[in-house]
Amino acid sequence: MKPYILVLFFFMATFVFVNQSHSVASYNDSKIDSLYNIVCDSDVEFSHKLKMIDDLGCLSLYSNHFHELFTLFNNLLIQGKELDRNHSKSITLLGQKRKENYKNAMLFCYSSIADLYYGSWDKEHAEIYLDSAAMCIDKSSSIRYLAPYYRIKAQYMQRYFPDRIPEAVSYYQKSLSYYEKSGMRKKETDMVIILYNLTIDAFQRDDSAYVDKNIFRMKELKKQYDSPVLDFALNDIQVNRYSSYYHNFSKKEYLDSAIYYAKECLELYEKGLLPGYYNYIAVDLYVTIAELMNKKADSDVERIDSLLSIAMMEYNALDSIGLARIYHMKARMFFDANRIDSAEVFALKAQQYLNNGYKSNYYLRLKNNIELLRDLYEDKGNYQKVIEYNDLWMKKDNEIRANEVKELELQYEFESKESEVERLKSNRSYQENLYRMFALFCFLLAMTILFILLLIRLKKRDLNNQIALIDAEREEAKLKLKLTEEQTVKMELERYDVLSDFHLKEMELMGMSKDLDQLRRDKEALDRQVELYRQKVKAYEVVADKDKESDYDTQNVVAEDLKRLINKHPELPDREMCFHNLERLNKSYIEILRKKSEENLSTSYLKYCICFAIGMGISDVAECFSIEQSSVHMIRYRLKKKFGLGNDDDLGMFLQKYASL
């Protein structure tokens, strides 16, 4: 009855797995079809196409859609080349940006196609496209597209060149730093792959601190991004952790914990929640569980054999080392069960696959299998075979040591090359900075020379203008001299005419002597008036310096003086109105004006204020004070400033407002 139940259970699990795998595949198909439609759409900008495909993430997980994705990237490469051809000679900012998009597309497409071939276990094509991508690294400065290249490069080195693990770790760390700088949005799967592989390497180096650091980072990543891939990676790390603990301390609870986490990983695989890329890791867990269960004191041989049989069916036929591990495990299981003949058959098969597998970094598995064969033949009593395999064991032991030395040498060489590359990059950066400084110096020198030439040209033009002005002044001086000479001649002629007419005019002058005497008398009267005016001015100044209590006397003096000036000009049209307004003038008008003014008002300005207040026009004020009308306009402008009025304000209305007319 028990076999039938197992068959039924296996059938149901297979049905669930196929159903879930079909739904995931359908989702991926529709997603890839929509991306292909976007790439073929000529109305969508090229950089937008590049970004959308980049968001697809870790393409090796989509290896079962190889042909669709390969066509997609080839189409994008063709568009990029056409874009570069159309803008190869463009020097505009838009043209340079499109050329940069093309360079990024080249790196991204070559790296992505290499990722597809890596997921399909095609070493040769993966290497070809990685080499093509490597030629585009210097042409692209975008860390967004450098990060996946170094991740794929590290995975390729880790799988096909296990003796160059330090180099692969260096690529993983470089890729990780680029992802962190560019942001991890939609790149979480790539981050999980990098952290997982770095953690496995740390287990092999027994670096527990680095293991804990990576586990912490993956748990922090799980808070923002939850996926079966991340759960699988964390569980598989726990399998390695507890297996290491059991190897060091031989405690049963560590063995049980390792088996538990391995079963958790297998559960994710059997439910079809993992991409095809993780199949070979998940299948390897069948062998891991079998090895762990075989270490138990009460191991179930049938259960272990069934696990190994499942692994045998699921393994990739090209993976010789993986198949050798299964046969070795079967041989170990039968040997521990004291079934020597069956153990011998499987151990010899394992030896055959190990001899045909990768020749580097798998000597330890080969050595363990040789040791098992040696123990088998010792139990069977075939000491000739024991000696043969013992010699082979010693040979492989020496090869292991030689391989370790070679790994150290390769690591040293790799680190030396890395330091040399960094030095060359530093030198290149220094040279580029030097070239930039030289170009900047040449530019500044050219600008200085241009500025000096421009300054000389301006000076020359000013000098020519000055010379032309001097010539014009010299010509003008010559004309003035000529005119002066002509006027002198004319004056001489007029002098002679005057002398000739002197006698005639002498009689006329004698008749005018009486008028001259009258003029002298008028002059004496005017002198007296001027003296009186000076005395009044002094009085005005004395009055202006007194306190505000004397403003009334100042106003009377100013009013009397204005009346006198108006009387001297009987031709003024509004003379009577002016006298009338003077009589009605507010007795404290000058005091009001002093308060309203922002500056001190002199007696002269007070006179003009009263003139404008009693309604005198600009022409009347000019006539009364014997000045030009332009001077009156200037006085009005200054009075506006003193009273804080604007250009649009009416000074006359302002002064009349406080006159109480």
Side-chain angles (χ1 to χ4, degrees), residues 158 165-166 168-169 172-173 195-207 210-211 214:
Q158 187 180 29
I165 292 298
V169 170
Y172 275 130
Q173 291 173 344
L195 291 172
Y196 172 78
N197 286 305
L198 287 174
T199 307
I200 297 302
D201 175 71
F203 273 122
Q204 294 173 356
R205 292 185 288 105
D206 199 21
D207 188 350
Y210 193 68
V211 170
N214 286 342

Side-chain angles (χ1 to χ4, degrees), residues 267-278:
E267 184 179 355
L268 292 172
Y269 167 70
E270 290 171 351
K271 287 181 178 180
L273 300 177
L274 298 178
Y277 170 79
Y278 274 83

Side-chain angles (χ1 to χ4, degrees), residues 1-12:
M1 188 69 182
K2 184 176 180 182
Y4 294 107
I5 296 175
L6 290 175
V7 170
L8 179 62
F9 175 76
F10 181 75
F11 174 76
M12 293 176 63

Side-chain angles (χ1 to χ4, degrees), residues 374 376-387:
R374 187 185 62 182
L376 282 169
Y377 286 118
E378 186 175 355
D379 286 352
K380 292 181 71 173
N382 190 346
Y383 295 105
Q384 183 179 357
K385 287 285 187 180
V386 173
I387 295 171

